[in-house]
Amino acid sequence: MGKERLAVPFENGRKALIIYVCAGDPSLEVTAELVPALADAGADIIELGVPFSDPVADGPVIQAAGQRALASGTTLARVLDLTAALRAKMKMGTPLVLMSYYNPILRYGLADFGKELAAAGGDGVIVPDLPWEEAGLLQKILEGKGLALIPLVAPTTPEGRLRRIASRAAGFIYCVSLTGVTGAREELPPDLLSYMERVRRVTSLPLALGFGIGSPGQLKHLAPLGDGFVVGSAVVQALAEGGVARAAALVKAMREALDSI
């Protein structure tokens, strides 16, 4: 399904709720329980984060989750196995996107990674530290398997580069809301509207806004700006503090906030 499955959550003007979880935090068994619970609670797309020792785009909450996941023995190969198990279990077809830094994928082997992610039932990949200009080979391999390499753009992305990224993008465009690392914020930059309008002018793909979003109230406020919204640290923190039930309750409240507009 790949790119086709990724399009479904955005159909008919629905605001997609995209939830990041760190695979293997605190164990792969918990992640296997968590992901279907979040889908049942209203998550439209699940990002499975591959833990990495040097997560330069992540703040302290996801850094700590990554350390717990690494300590539990989580590897990219085991995340691919988890993806296959989740796809077999999640008959509803919730899209699954791997979010990994580039080094684990490069070490695994680009061709093997693309082949095995497709076989596992994954739908796309986000690589936050891979410059778009150097992503051609990975993108070609993924596209050959029907998978999307989802690009990130930032408020600082120049107009020309934004157009080049949009011209080759697939799935959706991940619009990073701020210049900084992941983690919930009390307030987000005041110029998000003009930023999102600038990205909208160069693509017809869905736009997903992420970084810094941590509450149902924020989602309700931001809903008019994007087609989808990515929430990570708040859900990871809820899981660490209250287990699967608390994380699912937060996602349910976020879904209700988006549906209320």
Side-chain angles (χ1 to χ4, degrees), residues 209-235:
L209 185 66
F211 279 43
I213 303 171
S215 71
Q218 278 182 317
L219 279 171
K220 194 169 182 177
H221 175 70
L222 295 170
L225 300 184
D227 305 303
F229 300 89
V230 186
V231 181
S233 295
V235 175

Side-chain angles (χ1 to χ4, degrees), residues 109-183:
L110 302 187
D112 286 344
F113 172 72
K115 180 178 68 176
E116 294 179 25
L117 179 60
D123 300 296
V125 182
I126 300 171
V127 188
D129 63 342
L130 178 62
W132 194 244
E133 291 77 5
E134 299 176 24
L137 179 56
L138 178 60
Q139 184 180 35
K140 182 179 179 181
I141 289 168
L142 294 177
E143 284 188 346
K145 298 295 181 183
L147 306 175
L149 180 60
I150 298 160
L152 296 97
V153 300
T156 53
T157 304
E159 186 78 17
R161 186 163 187 264
L162 192 59
R163 290 184 180 279
R164 291 194 295 275
I165 291 172
S167 69
R168 291 170 40 208
F172 59 88
I173 293 182
Y174 191 136
C175 301
V176 176
S177 67
L178 45 81
T179 53
V181 296
T182 61

Side-chain angles (χ1 to χ4, degrees), residues 1-238:
M1 290 285 286
K3 290 187 282 188
E4 296 175 10
R5 187 156 39 210
L6 275 172
V8 173
F10 299 98
E11 291 179 347
N12 303 315
R14 179 178 171 84
K15 303 292 184 179
L17 180 58
I18 304 166
I19 300 297
Y20 168 95
V21 301
C22 182
D25 171 36
S27 69
L28 288 165
E29 289 74 18
V30 170
T31 308
E33 177 188 357
L34 173 66
V35 171
L38 299 185
D40 288 344
D44 297 297
I45 299 172
I46 304 284
E47 289 182 17
L48 291 172
V50 178
F52 184 53
S53 58
D54 189 21
V56 294
D58 290 310
V61 171
I62 293 179
Q63 286 181 23
Q67 290 300 312
R68 292 191 293 268
L70 290 170
S72 74
T74 304
T75 63
L76 176 55
R78 297 187 71 188
V79 176
L80 289 168
D81 290 342
L82 172 68
T83 303
L86 287 168
R87 179 55 66 214
K89 187 176 182 179
M90 297 170 68
K91 292 184 173 57
M92 70 182 73
T94 302
L96 298 173
V97 173
L98 259 63
M99 186 164 186
S100 174
Y101 290 90
Y102 190 52
N103 194 51
I105 297 174
L106 185 63
R107 184 172 180 182
Y108 196 88
L110 302 187
D112 286 344
F113 172 72
K115 180 178 68 176
E116 294 179 25
L117 179 60
D123 300 296
V125 182
I126 300 171
V127 188
D129 63 342
L130 178 62
W132 194 244
E133 291 77 5
E134 299 176 24
L137 179 56
L138 178 60
Q139 184 180 35
K140 182 179 179 181
I141 289 168
L142 294 177
E143 284 188 346
K145 298 295 181 183
L147 306 175
L149 180 60
I150 298 160
L152 296 97
V153 300
T156 53
T157 304
E159 186 78 17
R161 186 163 187 264
L162 192 59
R163 290 184 180 279
R164 291 194 295 275
I165 291 172
S167 69
R168 291 170 40 208
F172 59 88
I173 293 182
Y174 191 136
C175 301
V176 176
S177 67
L178 45 81
T179 53
V181 296
T182 61
R185 310 287 203 280
E186 290 294 327
E187 295 185 3
L188 291 173
D191 55 352
L192 285 178
L193 175 59
S194 61
Y195 165 49
M196 295 300 283
E197 287 177 340
R198 188 163 64 89
V199 183
R200 176 69 69 203
R201 285 196 291 271
V202 303
T203 183
S204 59
L205 283 175
L207 305 183
L209 185 66
F211 279 43
I213 303 171
S215 71
Q218 278 182 317
L219 279 171
K220 194 169 182 177
H221 175 70
L222 295 170
L225 300 184
D227 305 303
F229 300 89
V230 186
V231 181
S233 295
V235 175
V236 171
Q237 186 68 30

